[in-house]
Amino acid sequence: ANKSLITVVLDGAFPMQAAVAKLFGVNYHFNLINSTGMYRITEHYKYTLSAMFDTLYPDAPYIILLEDDLEASPDFFSFFSQTVYLMKKDDSIFCISAWNDFLF
């Protein structure tokens, strides 16, 4: 994997998590949010998506967004590799999600 294409966006000043990102040689950014509750989550997603598409990777047609507590399955990348053509073919598709409320 090209580590320069991996970015960790932290929703606050978390130096320990930044140190782990640095240890793995990936980019990281602090999003210093002042909101709480659902507003905090919404602001963090907005910041992250804007940073990815507008600033960090403006030429990227797609991104994969993972949360810190997500446990990806062994076929995680295979799933997206096999479904990305749907987004290329159909402009009405906004996103492809691997989220499953009934996991575990």
Side-chain angles (χ1 to χ4, degrees):
N2 183 348
K3 290 183 181 181
S4 70
L5 296 176
I6 299 172
T7 300
V8 175
V9 181
L10 303 162
D11 65 343
F14 298 107
M16 289 178 60
Q17 288 82 346
V20 171
K22 191 173 184 178
L23 178 69
F24 281 97
V26 299
N27 302 311
Y28 62 92
H29 292 266
F30 293 114
N31 178 14
L32 304 177
I33 304 171
N34 294 322
S35 300
T36 59
M38 288 304 295
Y39 294 111
R40 181 181 182 87
I41 295 168
T42 302
E43 281 188 35
H44 184 59
Y45 276 115
K46 182 181 185 304
Y47 173 88
T48 301
L49 291 169
S50 294
M52 295 297 125
F53 284 118
D54 298 338
T55 307
L56 299 172
Y57 309 107
D59 296 326
Y62 315 103
I63 64 168
I64 295 176
L65 183 65
L66 299 173
E67 293 190 41
D68 62 343
D69 60 349
L70 180 95
E71 185 176 331
S73 67
D75 66 344
F76 178 80
F77 289 109
S78 175
F79 171 79
F80 285 107
S81 294
Q82 294 176 43
T83 56
V84 71
Y85 83 92
L86 296 168
M87 290 186 74
K88 291 177 182 177
K89 186 176 181 178
D90 187 345
D91 289 340
S92 70
I93 296 176
F94 174 71
C95 70
I96 295 173
S97 175
W99 176 255
N100 181 355
D101 284 331
F102 301 107
L103 185 70
F104 294 84

